Amino acid sequence: AGLCGPSKSSSIPGAEQREKQYRAHRGFGDRRGGVISARTYFYADEAKCDQHMETFLRCIDASSGSSEDGFSAIKLTALGRPQFLLQFSEVLVKWRRFFHQMAAEQGQAGRAALEMKLEVEKLQEALANLGVVTKAESQHWFTGENLGMSGTVDLLDWNSLIDSRTKLSKLLLVPSMKTRQLEPLLSHFTEEEDLQMKRMLQRMDILAKRATEKGVRLMVDAEQSYFQPAISRLTLEMQRRFNRDRAIIFNTYQCYLKEAYDNVTVDVELSRREGWHFGTKLVRGAYMEQERERAAKIGYEDPINPTYEKTNEMYHRCLDYILEEIKHRQKASVMVASHNEDTVKFTLRRMMELGIHPSEKKVCFGQLLGMCDQITFPLGQAGFPVYKYVPYGPVSEVLPYLSRRAQENRGFMQRANRERDLLWREVKRRLLTGSLFSPSR
């Protein structure tokens, strides 16, 4: 309720269809449907958001007291009204899409996101011809931000024109091809909605400061694709502030998304330019069934990779890019959050090939408590930083989540049986060789 309607912002084929992704739809108000492996929060009121923040603060304290270099996970939909994330995501996507349209008009369609470089002169002429802004006004955009000094503007330069550290509701403008003007999409934000947005940012700030004080790394969980552009953008803002000396804030990338690699590479490049430490958790993704149903019913392109194999390829491609960054710049850290043995083996092999030692603690692994111990324990014994993700909360809330995870990982009993057989074989081998208490090579 109260979501302002988007304008038709682009003449790109299919743009109107894709923008449906970032609108509120009553039929998908309950985001639990089809979600197996994630906790879902609902906005009740600001007091409830404060309660969630206090719970996250206690979790940070507990993590600090129980282990060195601990992690704590948070969800932004627990800290504010999800409608704001939806609106902000729509604006960010439209703004990025407009950049791609300008790039296409300059003959750069099909290039990788970071390889698109708009010539400033042509861009200013295009904006003037569209009636969006005068050439003088667009020149002020770039000189005011010290952008385009090289004669070109890339996606990171373009994105920096939207700065979430300022009052978003006044500055977020998107080009409308219908009215030929820049329209403030969030102009219908009420004073109360503006306050809700500020409170979400304040809660994030409080959590990040506590995590920094306690030496705990804060993982911002990924959520549905229609919230994710805003979640990632706000997380980047925290990384800019808190990741100056080490990776405290970790963003999460869902590799079942078709655009995962573009998102990872663009954000890594931003960390290089601004000099902060890039921190990430890589997951496959938790909302596939719900995402596909929503896309089909509402009528926009499915954001998920078509097959599990494609998702595996995407995961390994993103991971390899980050491992290369760790090797060559030493200002990145990654949590490989996976129950997939092939992915763990891939990571170990690439670490060895690149000369990344476990003691550097730039690469760590994570599995759920009670699941995939046959992966977790050997990694720990071999000296790799490995973490167990511990769900917590009232039994009535946590048990359904755990039962869904067990259902999702119903193959883990077969893996446990295989582990038991391997252990029994090793015991018999040691008995026969007389080396029961000391492993022989």
Side-chain angles (χ1 to χ4, degrees):
L3 180 64
C4 63
S7 59
K8 292 184 180 179
S9 68
S10 169
S11 59
I12 303 173
E16 176 68 15
Q17 177 213 40
R18 287 193 297 272
E19 282 158 14
K20 294 176 182 177
Q21 185 173 0
Y22 301 96
R23 295 181 190 170
H25 291 272
R26 191 173 298 278
F28 291 88
D30 185 340
R31 302 193 310 281
R32 288 171 297 189
V35 178
I36 289 174
S37 52
R39 170 79 166 86
T40 300
Y41 289 90
F42 297 95
Y43 180 82
D45 51 38
E46 293 299 301
K48 190 68 175 175
C49 292
D50 285 332
Q51 287 176 24
H52 290 151
M53 182 188 71
E54 292 297 331
T55 301
F56 289 151
L57 286 170
R58 289 197 297 273
C59 181
I60 291 168
D61 292 343
S63 181
S64 171
S66 62
S67 66
E68 199 177 323
D69 295 321
F71 280 97
S72 182
I74 65 169
K75 279 196 166 183
L76 292 201
T77 52
L79 298 176
R81 197 175 184 193
Q83 178 189 339
F84 161 65
L85 296 173
L86 199 67
Q87 288 176 302
F88 189 21
S89 290
E90 181 184 28
V91 172
L92 293 172
V93 167
K94 282 187 172 185
W95 190 251
R96 184 165 174 165
R97 196 167 289 148
F98 187 65
F99 174 87
H100 283 291
Q101 183 193 18
M102 294 293 101
E105 290 185 2
Q106 290 193 16
Q108 299 185 40
R111 289 191 186 180
L114 282 175
E115 291 175 9
M116 291 181 177
K117 297 184 188 297
L118 305 185
E119 293 182 34
V120 174
E121 285 287 330
K122 286 184 180 177
L123 174 60
Q124 289 169 343
E125 285 172 16
L127 291 169
N129 290 339
L130 286 168
V132 173
V133 284
T134 65
K135 194 164 184 182
E137 286 171 326
S138 63
Q139 282 174 337
H140 179 68
W141 281 8
F142 299 113
T143 54
E145 294 286 336
N146 292 321
L147 302 176
M149 294 301 164
S150 63
T152 61
V153 171
D154 66 10
L155 182 58
L156 290 176
D157 296 328
W158 183 253
N159 284 344
S160 69
L161 293 171
I162 298 181
D163 193 337
S164 62
R165 285 170 293 186
T166 58
K167 194 169 183 182
L168 298 172
S169 58
K170 301 299 180 190
L171 292 187
L172 289 183
L173 306 173
V174 290
S176 168
M177 308 302 278
K178 186 178 180 181
T179 63
R180 302 284 180 177
Q181 292 177 355
L182 282 177
E183 296 183 347
L185 186 71
L186 302 187
S187 60
H188 299 299
F189 248 29
T190 65
E191 192 174 337
E192 176 56 29
E193 285 171 329
D194 207 49
L195 285 171
Q196 287 170 354
M197 178 191 74
K198 285 181 178 175
R199 290 187 197 115
M200 178 187 279
L201 297 172
Q202 287 167 353
R203 291 179 189 114
M204 291 171 66
D205 190 64
I206 289 168
L207 291 170
K209 284 177 177 171
R210 178 73 67 90
T212 304
E213 290 166 9
K214 296 286 186 175
V216 172
R217 276 131 349 140
L218 204 60
M219 295 188 300
V220 180
D221 274 348
E223 304 197 44
Q224 286 89 346
S225 63
Y226 40 94
F227 295 132
Q228 197 54 45
I231 290 171
S232 288
R233 182 59 186 252
L234 295 174
T235 305
L236 280 174
E237 289 302 319
M238 288 204 292
Q239 289 180 314
R240 278 173 156 163
R241 293 176 54 207
F242 294 97
N243 285 11
R244 286 289 162 191
D245 300 318
R246 60 180 292 227
I248 293 285
I249 309 299
F250 278 56
N251 203 355
T252 302
Y253 296 87
Q254 300 178 101
C255 294
Y256 69 0
L257 293 177
K258 294 172 182 174
E259 59 182 25
Y261 184 76
D262 277 351
N263 292 339
V264 167
T265 54
V266 166
D267 291 351
V268 166
E269 176 60 23
L270 182 65
S271 73
R272 288 177 191 148
R273 291 187 191 182
E274 297 184 345
W276 43 268
H277 289 250
F278 180 80
T280 179
K281 177 174 75 167
L282 286 184
V283 301
R284 277 174 170 75
Y287 307 97
M288 183 172 70
E289 186 181 327
Q290 186 191 81
E291 290 274 16
R292 286 193 164 147
E293 182 188 358
R294 189 178 189 270
K297 282 193 177 177
I298 295 170
Y300 58 88
E301 183 187 346
D302 182 358
I304 308 293
N305 285 318
T307 64
Y308 186 73
E309 289 69 32
K310 287 288 182 186
T311 292
N312 282 344
E313 288 174 20
M314 180 68 80
Y315 194 108
H316 292 177
R317 189 182 181 202
C318 292
L319 177 55
D320 202 48
Y321 187 87
I322 296 165
L323 292 175
E324 290 276 359
E325 181 71 6
I326 291 170
K327 167 65 178 176
H328 297 296
R329 213 172 64 93
Q330 291 291 311
K331 279 187 136 182
S333 299
V334 61
M335 171 178 271
V336 181
S338 176
H339 293 159
N340 186 296
E341 291 183 25
D342 290 335
T343 292
V344 172
K345 288 174 183 174
F346 172 86
T347 311
L348 299 179
R349 187 181 77 249
R350 290 298 290 138
M351 286 178 70
M352 189 169 65
E353 290 168 356
L354 293 167
I356 301 171
H357 197 271
S359 62
E360 295 175 35
K361 297 185 177 181
K362 297 289 187 182
V363 182
C364 61
F365 298 84
Q367 288 87 42
L368 273 167
L369 180 67
M371 293 187 184
C372 294
D373 289 350
Q374 81 279 4
I375 293 176
T376 311
F377 294 149
L379 283 172
Q381 289 163 351
F384 291 90
V386 60
Y387 294 82
K388 279 300 195 185
Y389 193 100
V390 185
Y392 60 89
V395 172
S396 60
E397 293 183 23
V398 175
L399 209 54
Y401 163 81
L402 290 175
S403 67
R404 293 196 305 271
R405 292 313 304 249
Q407 175 192 351
E408 175 199 25
N409 286 276
R410 52 186 176 273
F412 90 96
M413 282 310 296
Q414 285 98 329
R415 294 195 294 272
N417 290 336
R418 182 158 62 84
E419 183 185 16
R420 183 197 60 196
D421 292 341
L422 290 170
L423 288 169
W424 180 237
R425 196 182 309 166
E426 176 67 5
V427 168
K428 286 194 287 187
R429 187 193 67 78
R430 291 189 189 185
L431 281 170
L432 290 171
T433 58
S435 57
L436 183 59
F437 299 108
S438 59
S440 58
R441 296 187 180 275

